Amino acid sequence: MGTIGLAVIGAGYWGPNLVRNAQATPGLRLEYLCDLDADRARRVLGGYSTVRVSDSLDEVLADPAVHAVAIATPAKTHLPVAMAALEAGKHVLVEKPLAATYAEGRELVEAAERRGLTLMLDHTYCYTPAVAHLREQIRSGALGDIQYLDSVRINLGLVQPDVDVLWDLAPHDLSIFLSILPDGVVPLSVAAHGSDPIGAGRACVAHLTLQLSGGVMAHVHVNWLSPTKIRTMVIGGSARTIVWDDLNPSQRLAVYDRGVDRVADDIGPETKAQTLVSYRTGDMVAPALPEREALRAVMAEFQASIAESRPPLTDGRQGLRVLSILEAASASLAQGGAFMPVLGELVAEVSA
Amino acid sequence: MGTIGLAVIGAGYWGPNLVRNAQATPGLRLEYLCDLDADRARRVLGGYSTVRVSDSLDEVLADPAVHAVAIATPAKTHLPVAMAALEAGKHVLVEKPLAATYAEGRELVEAAERRGLTLMLDHTYCYTPAVAHLREQIRSGALGDIQYLDSVRINLGLVQPDVDVLWDLAPHDLSIFLSILPDGVVPLSVAAHGSDPIGAGRACVAHLTLQLSGGVMAHVHVNWLSPTKIRTMVIGGSARTIVWDDLNPSQRLAVYDRGVDRVADDIGPETKAQTLVSYRTGDMVAPALPEREALRAVMAEFQASIAESRPPLTDGRQGLRVLSILEAASASLAQGGAFMPVLGELVAEVSA
Amino acid sequence: MGTIGLAVIGAGYWGPNLVRNAQATPGLRLEYLCDLDADRARRVLGGYSTVRVSDSLDEVLADPAVHAVAIATPAKTHLPVAMAALEAGKHVLVEKPLAATYAEGRELVEAAERRGLTLMLDHTYCYTPAVAHLREQIRSGALGDIQYLDSVRINLGLVQPDVDVLWDLAPHDLSIFLSILPDGVVPLSVAAHGSDPIGAGRACVAHLTLQLSGGVMAHVHVNWLSPTKIRTMVIGGSARTIVWDDLNPSQRLAVYDRGVDRVADDIGPETKAQTLVSYRTGDMVAPALPEREALRAVMAEFQASIAESRPPLTDGRQGLRVLSILEAASASLAQGGAFMPVLGELVAEVSA
Amino acid sequence: MGTIGLAVIGAGYWGPNLVRNAQATPGLRLEYLCDLDADRARRVLGGYSTVRVSDSLDEVLADPAVHAVAIATPAKTHLPVAMAALEAGKHVLVEKPLAATYAEGRELVEAAERRGLTLMLDHTYCYTPAVAHLREQIRSGALGDIQYLDSVRINLGLVQPDVDVLWDLAPHDLSIFLSILPDGVVPLSVAAHGSDPIGAGRACVAHLTLQLSGGVMAHVHVNWLSPTKIRTMVIGGSARTIVWDDLNPSQRLAVYDRGVDRVADDIGPETKAQTLVSYRTGDMVAPALPEREALRAVMAEFQASIAESRPPLTDGRQGLRVLSILEAASASLAQGGAFMPVLGELVAEVSA
């Protein structure tokens, strides 16, 4: 396959980043920036661009020069826009979340699989050098058994008009978890607590607790109201623990040879628990990571997955798993924080 | 009243700090360091001390030169040791938690109130300059309405033989909350999630969500297994938000004039939520705080509350409130994370 | 005057940034990207641009649609390229340093002044919100009298083929100093110490000490070999001291009400010096600063200074002052670190 | 030899730390705290101590139970106090600097060597785990050849009545340098620049540049007027570079496998310098270090050097080397910043 013709749909907050990175990706040819507001699209492209502007999705999808679309429109429009693209035979890259509901997301996954088209999620963080390193460290066993995961994603954020803070921010954390967890460690149930102290009509501060298979607990803290910005994830392992501070470019990852080990199983009843554990207090290593823009890697993966007719790293099914967790979290919120099961089964059935 | 004779009971982890600070507090006279292991007590005092060592609580309590005791023994011994002291007519300063259970704690509070003796909790953090500043800022209204509280207290900690991480660490956060919250904002219910990934037999990682009156949510994250140490508390307010980083001595408190405000109540249905809120992005002020050892202030308050026959800042009732939250948290843990009511009523009834 | 036609000369390290920002600046029209290597220029523009590429400076300067040029070529070419532009009647924005020598720089300043053309230095840092705030705080008197300046600019940097670390990095610090110092506080002499521990043939680590009028000392530390990156400037004042950490986006500036004050002039000989001073230990304020790209403001100032026929904030004379300090520093390096006078007089005489 | 009887001389700023650590050191027996102001000494000891107070140095030195003294009096008194102790046959530990002048220091070194008594400097930093690690890394060759040293020691400090900021603070940096440098790398000359912006009568801000043998440059920046505290040292090496941030207890040392290497010696004249160097951008390792009080190790070394009749790690000759650098620095300050030779020869001749 030769160069892949691309249209970016949506010239709002994220669209300009797609435009910029698409233009820099070998194997892609940006044909259109499409937005209902053509002036907004023109402003995004600026006064020196040869890229075409369109305010008609139909026009764009009818153009045989367009082989793929990258969608950066509001979540509730993902189903119609992406479905139209798939029905027109276009490959689709879509912003997180995949769709406004699990049911809608499933429609898209099924439609893409039926047609053999690429459906990829722009889970941008999954393409950072940090996540790539985390994944490799975890899957190689260097961390040992996963003991806990903890993610904090707080800042003074835009209070979204249609979704709460969980649906806005937690897809980042959840897609990272799914991207790095070893095979067989999957979310089983989720509990969510939230509050809306400014009267916005939806949770602005929330905590998510995930029960993973194997008894591992993961926690996500998201907050739109924090005056300070924190983007930190800790992945505790039996052999190493990694702390990822995404706002510290000179030391994003810190791999600690520190931890608590249980040293005996068979011990008399009188022995104190302190004697059961020992403490490792070894060195910390901050691995050298390349500095590259993650969205560039997203675009390269989209191009490659189409060119090679293979599923992308963050495919529709991963997007669907995120939706299943978010829906369970919303159900938990509505029911006062009880643990709700994550719909793992349905995901597996999709293409059955 | 003249100088108050004091005995420190317990020469373990915390006792040496009590010894050192008691010796430096005007109005106190340290008479004894008492421990079942007299050699341990002698080692704590060192080779140059005139303070007496005793391995007999009875001996110490029988000495009329002793007017007060400071207890730093394991929590499960607080009831018998403190009760013996109260029955001997001694004032009592006790390490957190007040007792091993709410019922035991209530016995101590009732006994002290019946006898008109001081029963004070060594909630050390409540005596830091940072907490004094927080309390003043909140109670003066400078923060506006409290919107949320968030506390993180994680590090590579000693896995305790008899209590889980909630009972070990959360008393700090809970006593701070109780010490700074405005009148009328009280904990109503609590949910707790925990995990024990090293097989220690008790939770080593835990999250606590508190529902406070007025719809405010508070969250506490405690963890014995983290390779890095974090001691951070955020108190979000409608006018200001304070971030307290206790490990940053040059800037422990940061007061942000940043936040999200709701700007309209009566708005047509078509208006987007974004138009409902506005963002403040003002300056940050890091107030100058004195550097002083909090335990020195604890000792001074103990001395003063006895000398002035008044309740201390952190009295037995505050200790009891902490126990009521911890017991509700343990009940929640046992029941899979459901919210459990905090026994606010019983506290109020104690001396009725 | 209508839209100003611009050509960017040089498609190397910095040129792409000029291209991007020129395209986004109202009142500018980017006509050419000019480089001896036309392919390099084409790669910089990418596959979607309407901007023309030229490998001929003559062609560009001959085009009446070009009113101004922005030069991002090696320093030693600044004289011929900028002079050709001025002789063709074009306004000039030039990368730091203005030229390879003070004498060459003076030629350019004289040529521009003779023709009434704008000659502006791209001293990018002078257009950051941080420097704007510093300048305002200093010139308003809020800092009191300047007591000292200290700048550290170290990182693992490119060892330049033709200039040492002083000529490469110190122009940033020196142009910032010149931009913020109050009227009448000027550099009088400079001493430089340097070393070349890797055998690169030029200083890779250097320290610059400036004697300013009024007895103020300023110091600059530049280093190409440091594994960590530091960009910190401290400006000590009698009333406030500002610390600027350019790598801390959440708190670039910190204004401290802390310092040492002399409290008595007329004191007997027996009084100790400690009694002569008092210590202020007040709050720190981190002012809210807008986040904007400094180079955007550079371009806007270039456009405005041409449109309004007024000198830009960082004009050729400021560039010449930087050269006079750098030449004195090189002379000091050559003479073992002795203080060398800065050629303040010649600058004043330029257009006499 | 049995337990060594010790007297601490001076109950001012540092004396209490000596008292506390002496009491905790096996093999030492604290006999006296001696101060002209006996009340001050009594306050330091507190109300529970068996240590004797004396206001008479003669009394203390006449007591055969006293085998050694630790002197924490003003620098100008070091000569008479230490000399009296040596003449009385006592071993001496003395605060930095060894004496008020090189000549005085030399008298003490000669007197101690003549009598075979220990003369040790309390160069406290030399006993930190960080310096021990640095020394080991450098001397083992792990850092490769030393390329540069850079130390920053600034904070809001006490303006001393009798010495400038160089004599007050730089002894720390200089003693650390002397303690870690490989054999044969010694200071040859020093230049100093200083300023006194508050009119204190002595330099309050100063920069010291040291030329070491082998062409290595070391730099020290000391400042009493900085509102923020910095304690950072960088030791650049051809194989590794270490950054020591003493105010970051969780990561005091960072060992970087990052740097610039020269890759060719024999290269044609047309080759650009960029091709001569290559860049390493490897991992960073933060070694686990024990947390211990350095002064405890000072006391242990004093005890051991006496007990084992061997020179201590920081002996009088090291103190004398520090004085020779300080005197050269003062001479440079007085002569406008010229490089002044360091008196290395005289040190070597001391006991000849």
Side-chain angles (χ1 to χ4, degrees):
Chain A
M1 183 172 191
T3 297
I4 296 164
L6 179 74
V8 169
I9 317 295
Y13 171 70
W14 194 246
N17 295 321
L18 294 174
V19 165
R20 180 168 45 81
N21 281 283
Q23 294 187 4
T25 302
L28 288 184
R29 176 79 203 162
L30 181 61
E31 298 286 349
Y32 291 94
L33 174 57
C34 176
D35 196 286
L36 293 176
D37 180 346
D39 282 342
R40 180 159 77 164
R42 272 183 215 104
R43 282 195 304 275
V44 164
L45 290 173
Y48 304 88
S49 177
T50 59
V51 175
R52 282 173 285 176
V53 163
S54 171
D55 60 3
S56 162
L57 180 62
D58 289 344
E59 175 194 26
V60 167
L61 295 181
D63 188 334
V66 173
H67 310 104
V69 299
I71 300 172
T73 59
K76 65 185 171 191
T77 69
H78 285 185
L79 178 65
V81 173
M83 191 59 85
L86 292 169
E87 288 173 351
K90 316 299 187 188
H91 304 281
V92 170
L93 172 70
V94 63
E95 282 317 290
K96 59 89 193 164
L98 169 56
T101 66
Y102 179 85
E104 290 184 7
R106 195 176 168 183
E107 282 189 59
L108 290 174
V109 170
E110 288 172 342
E113 297 196 352
R114 206 178 303 127
R115 287 167 178 81
L117 294 167
T118 291
L119 174 61
M120 173 169 162
L121 267 288
D122 177 10
H123 286 156
T124 317
Y125 280 101
C126 296
Y127 294 87
T128 58
V131 169
H133 192 90
L134 280 171
R135 188 186 301 124
E136 188 272 330
Q137 291 282 303
I138 290 171
R139 300 207 168 169
S140 73
L143 253 69
D145 295 328
I146 301 292
Q147 294 185 331
Y148 62 90
L149 300 97
D150 189 82
S151 189
V152 179
R153 185 175 305 275
I154 71 179
N155 63 293
L156 203 58
L158 286 180
V159 173
Q160 299 293 323
D162 44 5
V163 296
D164 65 11
V165 69
L166 275 173
W167 280 74
D168 183 39
L169 297 184
H172 295 303
D173 311 285
L174 297 174
S175 60
I176 295 165
F177 287 171
L178 294 174
S179 175
I180 63 177
L181 282 172
D183 288 339
V185 179
V186 294
L188 301 178
S189 63
V190 59
H193 300 150
S195 75
D196 172 22
I198 64 167
R202 61 196 64 84
C204 296
V205 181
H207 292 268
L208 207 63
T209 303
L210 288 154
Q211 299 288 3
L212 309 182
S213 50
V216 175
M217 183 170 73
H219 188 270
V220 177
H221 175 199
V222 285
N223 185 333
W224 279 333
L225 308 180
S226 168
T228 53
K229 187 172 182 175
I230 302 181
R231 296 272 179 280
T232 304
M233 191 177 284
V234 184
I235 298 103
S238 58
R240 295 280 186 287
T241 291
I242 298 190
V243 177
W244 172 21
D245 179 356
D246 200 53
L247 302 184
N248 186 355
S250 68
Q251 191 179 311
R252 286 190 208 276
L253 292 187
V255 183
Y256 289 90
D257 180 15
R258 292 167 57 88
V260 184
D261 300 311
R262 196 169 161 222
V263 293
D265 277 319
D266 189 22
I267 223 161
E270 76 291 346
T271 313
K272 285 184 170 184
Q274 279 113 327
T275 66
L276 284 169
V277 298
S278 71
Y279 298 86
R280 270 175 297 119
T281 57
D283 295 349
M284 181 272 271
V285 175
L289 297 176
E291 279 290 319
R292 65 167 190 244
E293 188 171 2
L295 195 47
R296 192 68 54 91
V298 169
M299 282 293 171
E301 172 73 359
F302 187 45
Q303 190 276 334
S305 65
I306 296 170
E308 301 165 16
S309 296
R310 61 161 174 83
L313 177 64
T314 51
D315 63 4
R317 283 165 172 259
Q318 199 203 62
L320 205 49
R321 277 182 213 106
V322 169
L323 287 178
S324 71
I325 301 171
L326 289 172
E327 288 211 342
S330 289
S332 174
L333 263 189
Q335 297 192 17
F339 273 98
M340 304 296 294
V342 172
L343 297 179
E345 303 313 309
L346 292 189
V347 174
E349 284 170 16
V350 158
S351 61
Chain B
M1 183 171 192
T3 297
I4 296 164
L6 179 74
V8 169
I9 316 296
Y13 170 69
W14 195 246
N17 295 321
L18 294 173
V19 164
R20 181 168 44 81
N21 280 283
Q23 293 187 5
T25 302
L28 288 184
R29 177 79 205 162
L30 181 61
E31 299 286 349
Y32 291 94
L33 173 57
C34 176
D35 197 287
L36 293 176
D37 179 346
D39 282 341
R40 179 160 77 162
R42 271 184 214 103
R43 283 195 303 273
V44 165
L45 290 173
Y48 305 88
S49 176
T50 60
V51 175
R52 282 173 285 177
V53 161
S54 171
D55 60 3
S56 161
L57 180 61
D58 289 345
E59 175 194 27
V60 167
L61 295 181
D63 188 333
V66 173
H67 310 104
V69 299
I71 300 171
T73 59
K76 65 185 173 191
T77 68
H78 286 185
L79 177 66
V81 173
M83 191 59 85
L86 292 169
E87 287 174 350
K90 315 299 188 187
H91 304 281
V92 170
L93 173 69
V94 63
E95 281 319 289
K96 60 87 192 164
L98 169 56
T101 67
Y102 179 84
E104 289 184 7
R106 194 174 169 186
E107 281 190 60
L108 290 174
V109 170
E110 287 172 343
E113 297 196 350
R114 205 177 305 126
R115 286 167 177 82
L117 293 167
T118 290
L119 174 62
M120 174 169 161
L121 268 288
D122 179 9
H123 286 155
T124 317
Y125 280 102
C126 297
Y127 294 87
T128 57
V131 169
H133 193 89
L134 281 171
R135 190 186 299 126
E136 188 272 331
Q137 291 281 303
I138 291 171
R139 301 209 167 167
S140 73
L143 253 70
D145 295 329
I146 301 292
Q147 294 186 330
Y148 63 89
L149 299 97
D150 190 83
S151 189
V152 179
R153 186 176 303 277
I154 71 179
N155 63 293
L156 205 58
L158 287 178
V159 173
Q160 298 294 322
D162 44 5
V163 294
D164 65 12
V165 70
L166 274 174
W167 280 75
D168 183 38
L169 297 183
H172 296 303
D173 311 284
L174 298 174
S175 61
I176 294 166
F177 287 171
L178 294 174
S179 176
I180 63 176
L181 283 173
D183 288 338
V185 179
V186 295
L188 300 178
S189 63
V190 59
H193 301 150
S195 75
D196 171 22
I198 63 168
R202 59 196 66 84
C204 296
V205 181
H207 292 268
L208 206 64
T209 302
L210 288 155
Q211 299 288 1
L212 309 182
S213 49
V216 175
M217 183 169 74
H219 188 269
V220 178
H221 175 199
V222 286
N223 186 332
W224 278 333
L225 308 179
S226 168
T228 54
K229 187 173 182 175
I230 303 181
R231 296 271 179 279
T232 304
M233 191 177 285
V234 183
I235 298 105
S238 58
R240 296 280 187 285
T241 291
I242 300 190
V243 177
W244 172 22
D245 180 354
D246 201 52
L247 302 184
N248 185 355
S250 68
Q251 190 178 311
R252 286 191 207 275
L253 293 186
V255 183
Y256 290 89
D257 180 15
R258 292 168 58 87
V260 184
D261 300 312
R262 196 171 161 219
V263 293
D265 276 320
D266 189 20
I267 224 162
E270 76 290 349
T271 314
K272 284 184 169 182
Q274 279 114 327
T275 66
L276 284 170
V277 298
S278 71
Y279 297 86
R280 272 175 297 119
T281 57
D283 295 348
M284 181 273 270
V285 176
L289 296 175
E291 279 290 318
R292 65 167 190 244
E293 187 171 1
L295 196 46
R296 193 67 55 88
V298 169
M299 281 293 171
E301 173 72 359
F302 187 45
Q303 189 276 335
S305 66
I306 297 170
E308 301 166 15
S309 296
R310 60 161 175 83
L313 177 64
T314 51
D315 63 4
R317 282 166 172 257
Q318 199 202 64
L320 206 48
R321 275 182 214 107
V322 169
L323 288 178
S324 70
I325 300 171
L326 291 172
E327 289 212 342
S330 289
S332 174
L333 263 188
Q335 298 193 16
F339 274 98
M340 304 297 294
V342 173
L343 299 179
E345 304 312 310
L346 293 187
V347 174
E349 284 169 17
V350 158
S351 62
Chain C
M1 183 171 191
T3 297
I4 297 164
L6 179 74
V8 169
I9 318 296
Y13 171 70
W14 194 247
N17 295 321
L18 294 174
V19 165
R20 181 168 43 81
N21 281 283
Q23 294 188 4
T25 302
L28 288 184
R29 177 79 204 162
L30 181 62
E31 298 286 349
Y32 290 94
L33 174 56
C34 176
D35 197 286
L36 293 175
D37 181 345
D39 282 342
R40 181 161 75 163
R42 272 183 215 104
R43 282 195 303 275
V44 164
L45 290 173
Y48 304 88
S49 177
T50 59
V51 175
R52 282 173 286 178
V53 162
S54 171
D55 60 3
S56 161
L57 180 61
D58 290 344
E59 175 194 24
V60 166
L61 295 181
D63 189 333
V66 173
H67 310 104
V69 299
I71 300 171
T73 59
K76 64 185 173 192
T77 68
H78 285 185
L79 178 65
V81 173
M83 191 60 85
L86 292 170
E87 287 173 351
K90 315 297 187 188
H91 304 281
V92 170
L93 173 69
V94 64
E95 281 318 289
K96 60 88 192 165
L98 169 56
T101 67
Y102 178 84
E104 290 185 6
R106 195 176 167 184
E107 281 189 59
L108 290 174
V109 170
E110 289 172 341
E113 297 196 350
R114 206 178 305 127
R115 287 167 177 81
L117 292 167
T118 290
L119 175 60
M120 174 168 161
L121 267 287
D122 178 10
H123 286 156
T124 317
Y125 280 102
C126 297
Y127 294 87
T128 57
V131 169
H133 192 90
L134 281 171
R135 189 186 300 126
E136 188 273 331
Q137 291 282 303
I138 291 170
R139 301 209 166 167
S140 73
L143 253 70
D145 295 329
I146 301 292
Q147 294 186 332
Y148 63 89
L149 300 97
D150 189 83
S151 189
V152 179
R153 185 175 305 276
I154 69 179
N155 63 292
L156 204 57
L158 287 180
V159 174
Q160 298 294 322
D162 45 4
V163 295
D164 65 11
V165 69
L166 275 174
W167 280 76
D168 182 39
L169 296 183
H172 296 303
D173 311 285
L174 298 173
S175 61
I176 294 166
F177 287 170
L178 294 173
S179 175
I180 63 177
L181 282 173
D183 288 339
V185 180
V186 296
L188 301 179
S189 63
V190 59
H193 300 151
S195 75
D196 171 23
I198 63 168
R202 59 196 66 86
C204 296
V205 181
H207 292 268
L208 207 64
T209 303
L210 289 155
Q211 299 289 2
L212 309 182
S213 51
V216 175
M217 183 170 72
H219 188 270
V220 177
H221 175 199
V222 285
N223 185 334
W224 278 333
L225 309 179
S226 168
T228 54
K229 187 173 184 175
I230 303 182
R231 295 271 178 281
T232 304
M233 191 177 285
V234 183
I235 298 105
S238 59
R240 296 279 186 287
T241 290
I242 299 191
V243 178
W244 172 21
D245 180 355
D246 201 52
L247 301 184
N248 185 355
S250 68
Q251 190 177 311
R252 286 191 208 275
L253 293 186
V255 183
Y256 289 89
D257 180 15
R258 292 167 58 87
V260 183
D261 301 311
R262 196 170 162 221
V263 293
D265 277 320
D266 190 21
I267 223 160
E270 77 289 348
T271 313
K272 284 185 170 181
Q274 279 115 327
T275 67
L276 284 170
V277 299
S278 72
Y279 298 86
R280 272 174 297 119
T281 57
D283 296 348
M284 181 274 269
V285 175
L289 296 176
E291 279 291 319
R292 64 166 191 245
E293 187 170 0
L295 196 46
R296 192 67 56 90
V298 169
M299 282 294 171
E301 173 72 0
F302 187 45
Q303 188 277 335
S305 65
I306 297 170
E308 302 167 14
S309 296
R310 61 159 175 82
L313 177 64
T314 52
D315 63 4
R317 283 164 172 260
Q318 199 202 63
L320 205 47
R321 276 182 214 105
V322 169
L323 288 177
S324 70
I325 301 171
L326 290 172
E327 289 212 341
S330 289
S332 174
L333 263 188
Q335 298 193 17
F339 275 97
M340 304 298 293
V342 173
L343 298 180
E345 303 314 309
L346 292 188
V347 174
E349 284 169 17
V350 159
S351 61
Chain D
M1 184 173 192
T3 297
I4 296 163
L6 180 74
V8 169
I9 317 295
Y13 170 71
W14 194 247
N17 296 321
L18 295 173
V19 164
R20 181 167 45 81
N21 281 283
Q23 294 188 5
T25 301
L28 288 184
R29 176 79 203 163
L30 181 62
E31 298 287 348
Y32 291 93
L33 174 57
C34 174
D35 197 287
L36 293 176
D37 180 346
D39 282 342
R40 181 161 75 163
R42 272 183 214 105
R43 282 195 303 276
V44 164
L45 291 173
Y48 305 88
S49 177
T50 60
V51 175
R52 281 173 287 177
V53 162
S54 171
D55 59 4
S56 162
L57 180 61
D58 289 345
E59 175 194 26
V60 167
L61 295 181
D63 188 334
V66 173
H67 311 105
V69 299
I71 300 172
T73 59
K76 65 185 171 190
T77 69
H78 286 184
L79 178 65
V81 173
M83 191 59 84
L86 292 168
E87 288 174 350
K90 316 297 188 188
H91 304 281
V92 170
L93 172 71
V94 64
E95 282 317 291
K96 59 88 194 163
L98 169 56
T101 67
Y102 179 85
E104 289 185 7
R106 195 176 169 185
E107 282 189 58
L108 290 174
V109 170
E110 289 172 340
E113 297 196 350
R114 205 178 305 127
R115 286 169 178 82
L117 294 168
T118 291
L119 174 61
M120 172 168 163
L121 267 288
D122 178 10
H123 286 157
T124 316
Y125 280 102
C126 297
Y127 295 88
T128 57
V131 169
H133 192 91
L134 281 171
R135 188 187 300 126
E136 189 272 332
Q137 290 282 304
I138 291 171
R139 302 208 166 167
S140 73
L143 253 69
D145 295 329
I146 302 292
Q147 295 185 332
Y148 63 90
L149 301 98
D150 188 83
S151 189
V152 179
R153 185 175 304 276
I154 71 179
N155 64 293
L156 203 59
L158 286 180
V159 174
Q160 298 293 324
D162 44 5
V163 296
D164 65 12
V165 69
L166 275 174
W167 281 75
D168 183 38
L169 296 183
H172 295 304
D173 311 285
L174 298 174
S175 60
I176 294 165
F177 288 171
L178 294 175
S179 175
I180 63 176
L181 282 173
D183 287 339
V185 179
V186 295
L188 300 179
S189 63
V190 60
H193 300 151
S195 75
D196 172 21
I198 63 167
R202 60 197 64 85
C204 297
V205 182
H207 293 268
L208 207 64
T209 303
L210 288 155
Q211 300 288 4
L212 309 182
S213 50
V216 176
M217 183 170 72
H219 188 268
V220 177
H221 175 198
V222 285
N223 185 333
W224 279 332
L225 308 180
S226 168
T228 54
K229 188 173 182 174
I230 302 181
R231 295 270 179 281
T232 304
M233 191 177 285
V234 183
I235 298 104
S238 59
R240 295 280 187 286
T241 291
I242 300 191
V243 178
W244 172 21
D245 179 355
D246 200 52
L247 302 184
N248 185 356
S250 68
Q251 190 177 311
R252 286 189 209 275
L253 293 187
V255 184
Y256 289 89
D257 179 15
R258 292 166 58 86
V260 183
D261 300 311
R262 197 170 162 219
V263 292
D265 277 319
D266 191 20
I267 223 159
E270 76 291 348
T271 313
K272 285 186 171 181
Q274 279 115 324
T275 66
L276 284 170
V277 298
S278 71
Y279 298 86
R280 272 175 297 119
T281 57
D283 296 348
M284 181 274 271
V285 176
L289 296 175
E291 279 290 318
R292 66 167 189 246
E293 188 170 0
L295 195 47
R296 192 67 56 89
V298 170
M299 282 293 171
E301 173 72 0
F302 187 45
Q303 189 276 335
S305 65
I306 297 170
E308 301 165 15
S309 296
R310 61 160 175 83
L313 176 64
T314 52
D315 64 4
R317 282 164 172 260
Q318 198 203 63
L320 205 49
R321 275 181 215 108
V322 170
L323 287 178
S324 70
I325 301 171
L326 290 173
E327 288 211 342
S330 290
S332 174
L333 262 188
Q335 298 192 18
F339 274 98
M340 304 297 295
V342 173
L343 298 179
E345 304 313 310
L346 293 188
V347 174
E349 285 170 15
V350 159
S351 62

